[in-house]
């Protein structure tokens, strides 16, 4: 019996999902925030987050207090996550995104404001991608030049590693922001990526609609750290291994950066990616880079396509920077081999192993006096400009010149001691005696000898190979760590000033050849 005058109150506990280890607070994913850019049409942008299993989530897109669209979903079991795909939107804004969770008679509402629709690009790699605007040439002017680019929004992922794939970012360095001198030049190798920013700024100057830039880079890291176990297995790299090398100063375990800094973004709808990495692999699985790099691209494409419910294109555009130059204490061909392997041993992209890719050649952007070491050249403006030309051609379908002259035919005139190279484009030539080499073979041994540049025309260049007393077997161009001084390589396209990329080719093959066929 309850004593008279007392009121008995029964308090029933809120029943939560069985998986109480998950964070069931109602929230957006870590990178959905004010000032963000969402991918425009023809794709639909993905909005997702976490909540209480069984709850209904309604996502509303508004502009000037008017509802543009509404999507309803529910929170999944186990993952406690929810996701919607917005209808394709034209570029522009600003908009407000509102998410409301209904669980029984309880409602929670989240809002993010000043959201734009445009193209979203992810930028990743090691320290040359990580360098900030404060570290590059003309930094003061570049940092002050932000007022006209408030529709280019920036985001930077924290340096984090993980043993398992994370579903969401553990930490963010810079939430979505409008560009300022402070967040573009925060410090040395501390957000925001200069190459990423300048690339996006160039795109904005061309496209005139919002651009979203996500920086996720870590200096001194090998490609194995950025690769999933799936892609490493494809190339025969032990999936639980780690790397040891003087060139590796960042995390060295396989997949730890893929797990923590790339996979958490895979639900996002993207336009494309750019990449600047390879220096740390000069002594780490160098001979596998012609597999690990194409495999990384393929794997990232699959992951983002699936994670975004098919909204990110299956073969989205992927651009990269071919390694620049640095002052080395030893004379070897490790850097040239990585440059070659970056193209899957074709010498150019796109190619059959690397479709829908584009490359910025950077071997002529050397920097002897860089305070960050010559391996970190400060001219990131030219790098970004060359990358954006590739993006305009490959990602946006513009008819323009986006790569330097490529050799497409060679003819040996043995009686005259000449090797004629015919290029795919017109060439601008500055003679240099040692940048071309001929492989001269006799008695089953081959030796590289200089092949001085001779007469040339609009698209043809003759090389003097008379020094070869045996059989000419191959020819190569710019096959050295430091091929030329700043913007003074011998071959450029005359109007675009884009440099000819390095190459190696064999007399019995179609250009280009396969490095593995030549005896050392």
């Amino acid at each position: 019996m309850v004593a008279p005058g007392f009121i008995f109150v029964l308090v029933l506990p809120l029943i939560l999902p069985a998986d109480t280890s998950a964070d069931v607070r109602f929230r957006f994913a870590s990178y959905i925030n004010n000032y963000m850019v969402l991918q425009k049409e023809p794709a639909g942008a993905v909005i997702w987050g976490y909540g209480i299993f069984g709850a209904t989530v309604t996502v509303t897109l508004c502009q000037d207090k008017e509802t543009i669209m509404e999507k309803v979903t529910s929170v999944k079991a186990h993952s406690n996550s929810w996701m919607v795909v917005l209808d394709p939107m034209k570029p522009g804004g600003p908009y407000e995104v509102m998410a409301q969770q209904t669980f029984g008679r309880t409602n929670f509402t989240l809002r993010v404001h000043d959201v734009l629709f445009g193209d979203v690009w992810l930028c990743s790699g090691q320290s040359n991608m990580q360098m900030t605007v404060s570290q590059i040439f003309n930094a003061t002017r570049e940092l002050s030049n932000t007022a006209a680019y408030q529709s280019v929004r920036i985001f930077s992922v924290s340096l984090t590693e993980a043993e398992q794939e994370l579903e969401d970012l553990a930490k963010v360095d810079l939430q979505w922001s409008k560009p300022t001198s402070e967040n573009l030049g925060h410090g040395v190798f501390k957000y925001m990526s200069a190459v990423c920013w300048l690339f996006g700024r160039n795109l904005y100057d061309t496209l005139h609609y919002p651009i979203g830039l996500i920086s996720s880079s870590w200096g001194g890291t090998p490609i194995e750290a950025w690769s999933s176990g799936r892609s490493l297995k494809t190339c025969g790299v032990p999936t639980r291994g780690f790397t040891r090398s003087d060139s590796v100063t960042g995390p060295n375990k396989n997949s730890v950066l893929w797990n923590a800094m790339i996979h958490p973004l895979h639900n996002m709808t993207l336009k494309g990616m750019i990449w600047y990495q390879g220096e740390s692999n000069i002594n780490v699985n160098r001979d596998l880079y012609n597999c690990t790099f194409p495999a990384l691209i393929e794997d990232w494409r699959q992951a983002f396509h699936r994670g975004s419910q098919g909204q990110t294109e299956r073969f989205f555009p992927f651009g990269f920077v071919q390694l620049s130059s640095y002052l080395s204490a030893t004379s070897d061909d490790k850097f040239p081999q990585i440059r070659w392997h970056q193209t899957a041993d074709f010498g150019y992209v796109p190619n059959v192993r690397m479709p829908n890719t584009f490359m910025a050649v950077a071997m002529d952007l050397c920097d002897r006096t860089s305070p960050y070491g010559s391996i970190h050249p400060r001219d990131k403006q030219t790098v970004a400009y060359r990358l954006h030309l590739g993006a305009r051609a490959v990602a946006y379908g513009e008819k323009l010149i986006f790569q330097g002259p490529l050799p497409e035919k060679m003819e040996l005139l043995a009686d005259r001691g000449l090797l004629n190279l015919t290029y795919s484009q017109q060439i601008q030539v500055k003679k240099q005696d040692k940048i071309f080499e001929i492989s001269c073979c006799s008695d089953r041994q081959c030796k590289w000898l200089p092949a001085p540049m001779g007469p040339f025309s609009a698209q043809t260049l003759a090389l003097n190979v008379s020094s070869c007393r045996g059989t000419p077997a191959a020819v190569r161009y710019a096959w050295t760590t430091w091929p030329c001084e700043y913007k003074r390589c011998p071959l450029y396209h005359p109007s675009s000033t884009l440099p000819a990329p390095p190459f190696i080719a064999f007399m019995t093959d179609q250009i280009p050849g396969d490095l593995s066929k030549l005896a050392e």
Side-chain angles (χ1 to χ4, degrees), residues 279-355:
E279 298 92 339
S280 286
N281 282 95
I282 60 171
N283 293 316
V284 176
N285 294 328
R286 182 177 63 255
D287 294 340
L288 291 178
Y289 204 91
N290 58 357
C291 179
T292 51
F293 185 38
L296 175 142
I297 296 172
E298 167 63 14
D299 187 66
W300 286 22
R301 283 172 166 169
Q302 284 192 31
F304 277 80
H305 179 69
R306 292 171 181 167
S308 66
Q309 310 299 304
Q311 298 304 305
T312 298
E313 290 182 9
R314 173 63 181 83
F315 295 98
F316 61 73
F318 194 108
F320 63 95
V321 184
Q322 195 176 46
L323 292 193
S324 187
S325 305
Y326 85 108
L327 295 170
S328 174
T330 59
S331 177
D332 55 45
D333 64 351
K334 294 177 180 178
F335 248 53
Q337 285 186 45
I338 290 288
R339 291 189 190 114
W340 187 247
H341 291 336
Q342 285 179 298
T343 68
D345 297 351
F346 280 80
Y348 60 89
V349 295
N351 58 54
V352 293
R353 288 191 60 202
M354 299 175 68

Side-chain angles (χ1 to χ4, degrees), residues 201-236:
R201 194 178 74 180
N202 284 329
L203 285 183
Y204 181 81
D205 285 339
T206 299
L207 300 171
H208 305 294
Y209 59 68
I211 300 292
L213 302 170
I214 300 159
S215 176
S216 184
S217 306
W218 196 328
T221 51
I223 196 170
E224 290 78 8
W226 296 99
S227 303
S228 74
R230 296 179 300 275
S231 60
L232 293 176
K233 184 178 181 180
T234 298
C235 299

Side-chain angles (χ1 to χ4, degrees), residues 385-405:
Y385 176 76
R386 292 174 181 175
L387 272 176
H388 111 281
L389 289 179
R392 285 169 62 182
V394 172
Y396 297 99
E398 281 194 58
K399 301 297 183 183
L400 51 76
I401 295 170
F402 67 99
Q403 56 189 346

Side-chain angles (χ1 to χ4, degrees), residues 250-461:
N252 61 8
K253 287 187 178 180
N254 291 353
S255 306
V256 291
L257 302 184
W258 157 259
N259 292 339
M261 297 178 67
I262 301 298
H263 185 267
L265 303 170
H266 79 295
N267 291 342
M268 182 182 293
T269 310
L270 295 177
K271 175 66 176 179
M273 296 185 186
I274 58 172
W275 171 261
Y276 195 161
Q277 190 277 338
E279 298 92 339
S280 286
N281 282 95
I282 60 171
N283 293 316
V284 176
N285 294 328
R286 182 177 63 255
D287 294 340
L288 291 178
Y289 204 91
N290 58 357
C291 179
T292 51
F293 185 38
L296 175 142
I297 296 172
E298 167 63 14
D299 187 66
W300 286 22
R301 283 172 166 169
Q302 284 192 31
F304 277 80
H305 179 69
R306 292 171 181 167
S308 66
Q309 310 299 304
Q311 298 304 305
T312 298
E313 290 182 9
R314 173 63 181 83
F315 295 98
F316 61 73
F318 194 108
F320 63 95
V321 184
Q322 195 176 46
L323 292 193
S324 187
S325 305
Y326 85 108
L327 295 170
S328 174
T330 59
S331 177
D332 55 45
D333 64 351
K334 294 177 180 178
F335 248 53
Q337 285 186 45
I338 290 288
R339 291 189 190 114
W340 187 247
H341 291 336
Q342 285 179 298
T343 68
D345 297 351
F346 280 80
Y348 60 89
V349 295
N351 58 54
V352 293
R353 288 191 60 202
M354 299 175 68
N356 219 33
T357 59
F358 54 96
M359 173 177 74
V361 175
M363 66 180 181
D364 65 332
L365 302 180
C366 47
D367 189 352
R368 288 182 178 273
T369 59
S370 172
Y372 314 104
S374 63
I375 203 166
H376 297 122
R378 289 166 288 175
D379 182 1
K380 295 299 191 270
Q381 290 90 338
T382 302
V383 170
Y385 176 76
R386 292 174 181 175
L387 272 176
H388 111 281
L389 289 179
R392 285 169 62 182
V394 172
Y396 297 99
E398 281 194 58
K399 301 297 183 183
L400 51 76
I401 295 170
F402 67 99
Q403 56 189 346
L406 300 167
E408 59 182 9
K409 180 182 177 183
M410 62 181 175
E411 182 182 10
L412 179 63
L413 306 175
D415 57 330
R416 297 168 56 188
L418 295 177
L419 177 65
N420 282 347
L421 296 177
T422 302
Y423 279 81
S424 59
Q425 305 167 348
Q426 289 189 349
I427 52 176
Q428 176 181 304
V429 179
K430 300 174 186 175
K431 286 192 176 183
Q432 189 172 325
D433 286 343
K434 296 183 180 180
I435 199 162
F436 279 98
E437 296 173 290
I438 189 81
S439 176
C440 188
C441 300
S442 60
D443 299 327
R444 296 186 179 182
Q445 292 188 342
C446 298
K447 183 179 181 180
W448 288 106
L449 300 173
M453 299 166 64
F456 60 90
S457 62
Q459 288 183 241
T460 303
L461 172 66

Side-chain angles (χ1 to χ4, degrees), residues 61-68 93-96:
L61 182 69
C62 302
Q63 187 175 46
D64 298 327
K65 298 183 179 180
E66 178 184 349
T67 298
I68 306 298
Y95 295 89
E96 180 182 73

